Amino acid sequence: MLLAVVVVSALAFDFTNGFHDTANAMATSIATGALRPRVAVALSAVLNFVGAFLSLKVAATIATGIVDSGAITLTVVFAGLLGGLSWNLLTWYFGIPSSSSHALIGGVVGATLIAAGASAVKGQAIVAKVLVPAVLAPVFAILVATLGTFLVYRITGGVPERFRARGFRLGQIGSASLVSLAHGTNDAQKTMGVITLALVANHTIGGRDGTPTWVIAACATSIALGTYIGGWRVIRTLGKGLTEIETPQGFAAEGSSAAVILAASHFGLPLSTTHVCSGSIMGAGLGKRLAEVRWRVAGRMATAWLLTLPAAALTGAAAWKGAALIGGTGGVATVFAVAALLFGALFLAASREPVTHRNVNAEWTGTLAPAPTKEHAS
Amino acid sequence: MSPYIDLDALWKVLVAGLVAGAGLVAVYALGLAVLAAARTGPSAHPGGIAIAVVCFGAVLAGAGLGLYVMLAK
């Protein structure tokens, strides 16, 4: 029973991971019209699904090395997931791209802190694996994308517009697909790792066993479903809110994201896909002469990134405490039910000011949800 | 090496990111520019098309290498 609740929470987290991060790969393609919105999310969903199956040697256990593995119980995993899940949904409501891995790590750290004390959390590992990369990822991506965008405009300045539009449209679709595939491979693994961790903690499988096939299939499916549902609010912020994007910029941004993500994954630097992609889009804005980056939007994003770890940790800690106070499986089930109610309320609030595939590209007037009169189908 | 920051991985990622991210993007743009010139110029330039093919091939190879290193882990 407890295990079932943990697995359901993990899959729910995986789902929000998908729909939060659709924007990373597809926001620029949607904003430039390289792909129609529904086609873009469908393509990204398929590639995420495929990506999830591709690299299975080690389902990276996200919390390993950051908290003492002896401190991890099913309730801690559950509370950590809830912390990550809450932060994902809250930032989605405000349309802010935010790292799902940081949210999950924050949740697990918070739950561990209150369950087992400060000694079970490895502070140095948090700095090295979470905080330093969080600062570096956007900086790297801004550098690469600014240079790439600058070069692209320099080189193709004299090219007739119809050539340019078609060529970069193709390039953009290709590079965005690469980002989607990499996302599926890296991010679905995190949830697989969490579920495997829970199965081991529950002695359902041995510590040396690999990830069961049903876990892989379930994770791939839920991240793909989430991607397909599409976090339109986040897509709108990244594609329209941060800067106005043209096709060559979109291509340079996705090329930069793909290169930095793949290089980071190869050299073992744990950069967040979200931070890289947001940085790339900013760089694409900076690299084109006179293009503006809306710094207020960028500032809100940076603030959210700073808050991710502590906010998810607080929620994770609260979830653990709540479950522990009531006690046993009933406690976990109660916390789960309360969380589900809160999430439902958030969805209801979001549906009052909806952002969908219809109005995602409406002109940015400073607010996330476009005014209904300005809505135009695309 | 500092325990807080992996400098070795850091500069490798930055260099690889710049070469692949900005470099290949520029090569693709170059291919496009050459192709456009060959197609719209007064006469056909087979050399231009060949250069464009080499450029696009290099970009594809780069993407393939990226996928390979990600999956080979």
Side-chain angles (χ1 to χ4, degrees), chain B residues 6-8 10 15-17 24-25 27 29 33 37-38 41-43 46 49 51 53 55-56 58 60 63 70-72:
Chain B
D6 187 352
L7 282 173
D8 194 43
L10 215 65
V15 170
L24 284 182
V25 161
V27 169
S43 57
I49 294 185
I51 295 175
V53 168
C55 287
F56 295 139
L60 276 180
M70 180 179 79
L71 298 179

Side-chain angles (χ1 to χ4, degrees), chain A residues 356-368:
Chain A
T356 66
H357 66 97
R358 283 181 216 287
N359 63 0
V360 68
N361 274 340
E363 199 183 329
W364 185 267
T365 51
T367 54
L368 178 65

Side-chain angles (χ1 to χ4, degrees), chain A residues 40-225:
Chain A
V41 294
L43 174 64
S44 185
V46 169
L47 289 167
N48 263 284
F49 186 80
V50 172
F53 278 96
L54 279 181
S55 180
L56 300 171
K57 280 178 191 153
V58 193
T61 42
I62 192 155
T64 318
I66 287 181
V67 297
D68 189 3
S69 53
I72 294 175
T73 63
L74 272 185
T75 315
V76 166
V77 174
F78 164 74
L81 281 167
L82 223 55
L85 196 55
S86 314
W87 182 252
N88 268 358
L89 286 175
L90 197 69
T91 46
W92 160 77
Y93 176 75
F94 289 108
I96 300 173
S98 135
S99 165
S100 299
S101 353
H102 281 198
L104 181 58
I105 291 174
V108 171
V109 165
T112 308
L113 269 178
I114 195 158
S119 59
V121 176
K122 299 169 183 163
Q124 185 193 316
I126 293 182
V127 174
K129 289 186 175 178
V130 185
L131 298 182
V132 170
V135 177
L136 291 175
V139 174
F140 278 21
I142 288 175
L143 278 175
V144 173
T146 305
L147 182 65
T149 307
F150 176 77
L151 289 173
V152 160
Y153 276 95
R154 264 315 269 277
I155 293 169
T156 62
V159 176
E161 187 49 42
R162 63 193 170 92
F163 262 103
R164 220 159 75 146
R166 251 191 62 204
F168 284 124
R169 209 182 138 218
L170 270 176
Q172 202 184 359
I173 296 170
S175 49
S177 300
L178 205 54
V179 174
S180 292
L181 200 65
H183 184 264
T185 310
N186 292 324
D187 278 41
Q189 264 196 16
K190 288 168 192 156
T191 312
M192 292 178 205
V194 168
I195 296 181
T196 309
L197 200 68
L199 290 174
V200 172
N202 196 46
H203 303 297
T204 310
I205 58 172
R208 285 162 182 275
D209 295 350
T211 307
T213 312
W214 68 265
V215 174
I216 299 167
C219 288
T221 308
S222 66
I223 202 166
L225 265 180

